[in-house]
Amino acid sequence: MDISEGAFEELVRRRRDLLRLLSVEKDRLSRAGSPYVKGSIQALVDTLTGHIGEIENELDAAFEMNPEIREKDRLLQSVPGIDAEMSRKLLRELPELGTMSNRQIAGFVGVAPPKRKDNGYGEYQKSRGGDPFVRQLVHSITQAAMQCDGKMEAFHSRLIQGGKPENVAIVACMRKMLVILNSILKKKEVYSNREAFQPVE
């Protein structure tokens, strides 16, 4: 049975919801003292884990059966540093890629341009919002790209040489990577080095 893109995204959203519930229950389990309460929480953790596994099997099947998702996979793997595993993680965790503006996807992930605080000391606010796991995934992909793509590494070096703190420079590189990923899926074209310098729109 074919899985449409809409059904794929619905499965992703459901998986996100269950992962949030699982995180909450695992936290409760770590703090529970009563054997009965521990057993009750563990039973729910096991149920949630089982449902998440079933959804992940459905998502894996979608990669094989849906030509549009396979095409997105091919486009993402054209980016230096992104292998098959990373591409599938991106499609599973961030199906919004290619459906938003560059600014929207940066805000959605939580790597929007930082603002200076009003205290006059020139400190930077941390980017807020977004799923921590997705941000970590984008961070890993960006680090891999910096090792494989000389222009991305040069972009990072210019930021550091320009006086940007390391954490600010890394977030800027993550934002740039999101622009690249978002752009190639929007245009349905493989990666080109020139895309590393497209502005955030």
Side-chain angles (χ1 to χ4, degrees):
M1 181 177 65
D2 192 15
I3 299 178
S4 68
E5 281 195 275
F8 182 86
E9 292 176 8
E10 187 175 1
L11 286 169
V12 169
R13 288 193 295 271
R14 182 56 180 161
R15 179 177 176 276
R16 284 176 180 169
D17 291 341
L18 293 180
L19 284 171
R20 292 189 188 100
L21 289 174
L22 181 61
S23 177
V24 170
E25 291 304 313
K26 283 185 173 180
D27 181 61
R28 288 173 176 162
L29 182 61
S30 68
R31 293 182 284 106
S34 163
Y36 175 82
V37 171
K38 283 187 176 181
S40 174
I41 297 173
Q42 185 63 59
L44 184 52
V45 166
D46 293 342
T47 297
L48 290 170
T49 301
H51 284 311
I52 291 168
E54 291 172 1
I55 290 175
E56 289 179 344
N57 289 337
E58 290 291 314
L59 291 172
D60 287 339
F63 285 105
E64 306 302 328
M65 296 187 294
N66 188 296
E68 293 179 344
I69 295 174
R70 287 202 306 272
E71 176 61 8
K72 288 183 177 181
D73 185 30
R74 183 184 74 86
L75 293 172
L76 290 175
Q77 288 193 55
S78 73
V79 178
I82 295 185
D83 58 16
E85 181 180 0
M86 283 185 170
S87 174
R88 290 200 171 197
K89 282 183 178 180
L90 266 173
L91 289 170
R92 187 173 66 189
E93 304 296 339
L94 194 58
E96 294 82 4
L97 275 172
T99 68
M100 297 180 172
S101 72
N102 292 333
R103 288 189 182 278
Q104 286 173 331
I105 198 69
F108 183 80
V109 174
V111 292
K115 298 178 180 178
R116 291 186 181 275
K117 294 180 179 179
D118 293 330
N119 58 15
Y121 292 102
E123 297 179 7
Y124 284 91
Q125 293 178 342
K126 293 182 179 179
S127 297
R128 302 189 181 195
D131 187 309
F133 182 81
V134 173
R135 284 201 301 277
Q136 182 57 47
L137 176 59
V138 175
H139 180 272
S140 297
I141 289 171
T142 302
Q143 293 283 4
M146 288 169 61
Q147 296 177 18
C148 300
D149 186 346
K151 288 191 175 181
M152 183 62 77
E153 174 57 32
F155 175 68
H156 173 264
S157 296
R158 285 201 304 275
L159 292 173
I160 296 298
Q161 292 168 7
K164 301 294 185 185
E166 174 64 19
N167 64 319
V168 174
I170 289 296
V171 170
C173 289
M174 290 168 64
R175 185 164 60 251
K176 187 67 69 176
M177 176 55 66
L178 277 174
V179 170
I180 293 170
L181 301 175
N182 203 47
S183 295
I184 66 172
L185 292 189
K186 273 181 173 290
K187 294 186 292 186
K188 299 182 179 179
E189 297 178 357
V190 295
Y191 171 80
S192 168
N193 277 336
R194 68 178 183 274
E195 288 165 330
F197 297 93
Q198 292 296 315
V200 176
E201 299 172 354

